[in-house]
Amino acid sequence: MTEKLALVGIGKIARDQHIPAIHGNPDWSLEAAVSRHAAVDGVDHFATLDELLQNRPDITTVSLAIPPQPRFEYAAKALKAGKHVMLEKPPGQSLAECYALEALAKEQGVTIFATWHSRYADCVPDLKDWLSSRTIKRLKISWKEDVRRWHPGQEWIWEPGGMGVFDPGINALSILTEVLPYRVHLSQAILEFPENRATPIAAKLTFVDPGGADMSADFDWRHEGPQTWDIEVETDRGSARMSLGGERLEIDGVLAKEGANHEYANLYARMAALLKAGESDMDLSPMIHVCDAFSLGRRIATDPFHF
């Protein structure tokens, strides 16, 4: 059975990722778009979620591709209307919001899915399997990109709830929490805030590994050279390097796998499977690390940022 879906928020990520993934999956039919400023050819358009819910009661699933600050209100309204909900990452601007949505979905008997697209990169399962039989000695995350390239003119990322450099950094944390065979927790964070912004532009994180491994992450949004999304691991039996955000994996310096960008296609396949099973997926472990970073982080002022 094909599920009728509405996409809320028609920005860059919706056009680049969500719409192609939906059209490429026979389990889904994109029936409507909700946006005040944009439309999608060939589907119903509504300016507000209220208009959608009033005029298209046949739509079963709502996918939210909007900034995290207003997401709770939209998600809660859709859940109360009996709709299944997909949440673009991060699933909310606070843990309390996310837990409240999880409880509401359970109460309404519908599916909710906190999507972490980087977990669905091609090489992530391979690194997880490789690590499952090894002892980690050192793990280093380097997630460095140019905010002007990936978020041109988007002011919401610099406002409270927008998370700043943790908007991409949480992608790395979603991979970390997926591939590790155990839990780790944050012990220290250094956060660099532009003096004219409310969220950080760079962060250095240190984790406590139960086995004593040296584990850290370095996020930076000022990187103008080659974009870097790497995880390097040294173990008792060899080393691994996953790059391109999970599309390329090297083992002991030799290419083991090179994939392609299937992340959002895999997300919508996962959502279809959740609906068929009558289940939800609201893993918040990446979000916990971000909240801990803001709680533990030592704040350092740096140069103003302007687009």
Side-chain angles (χ1 to χ4, degrees), residues 43-191:
V43 306
D44 285 349
H45 173 257
F46 301 97
T48 68
L49 181 61
D50 286 333
E51 291 178 11
L52 168 75
L53 296 175
Q54 180 177 353
N55 290 280
R56 290 298 305 268
D58 57 315
I59 285 175
T60 61
T61 303
V62 174
S63 181
L64 298 177
I66 55 177
Q69 291 94 332
R71 199 171 298 152
F72 177 82
E73 179 183 353
Y74 279 75
K77 189 172 292 186
L79 292 170
K80 289 176 182 177
K83 309 303 180 185
H84 308 293
V85 171
M86 283 182 73
L87 301 167
E88 176 62 80
K89 64 87 192 172
Q93 61 177 347
S94 73
L95 282 172
E97 285 186 351
C98 297
Y99 286 124
L101 291 176
E102 183 179 24
L104 181 57
K106 185 176 181 179
E107 176 184 311
Q108 295 293 117
V110 295
T111 291
I112 189 167
F113 180 23
T115 69
W116 303 106
H117 64 83
S118 290
R119 282 185 174 175
Y120 292 83
D122 280 355
C123 294
V124 170
D126 301 271
L127 180 59
K128 180 177 182 177
D129 182 65
W130 187 81
L131 288 174
S132 66
S133 60
R134 288 166 171 81
T135 300
I136 299 172
K137 301 297 184 182
R138 186 183 76 89
L139 185 147
K140 171 68 176 178
I141 297 172
S142 296
W143 228 253
K144 300 180 179 182
E145 60 182 64
D146 183 357
V147 63
R148 291 182 176 91
R149 175 176 172 181
W150 301 102
H151 292 277
Q154 295 180 19
E155 294 290 342
W156 62 266
I157 55 178
W158 299 110
E159 296 299 324
M163 296 193 179
V165 75
F166 285 103
D167 179 79
I170 205 169
N171 296 334
L173 297 173
S174 73
I175 295 175
L176 179 73
T177 51
E178 175 68 14
V179 302
L180 289 181
Y182 46 77
R183 291 181 179 271
V184 298
H185 67 271
L186 201 69
S187 61
Q188 180 179 322
I190 300 173
L191 310 179

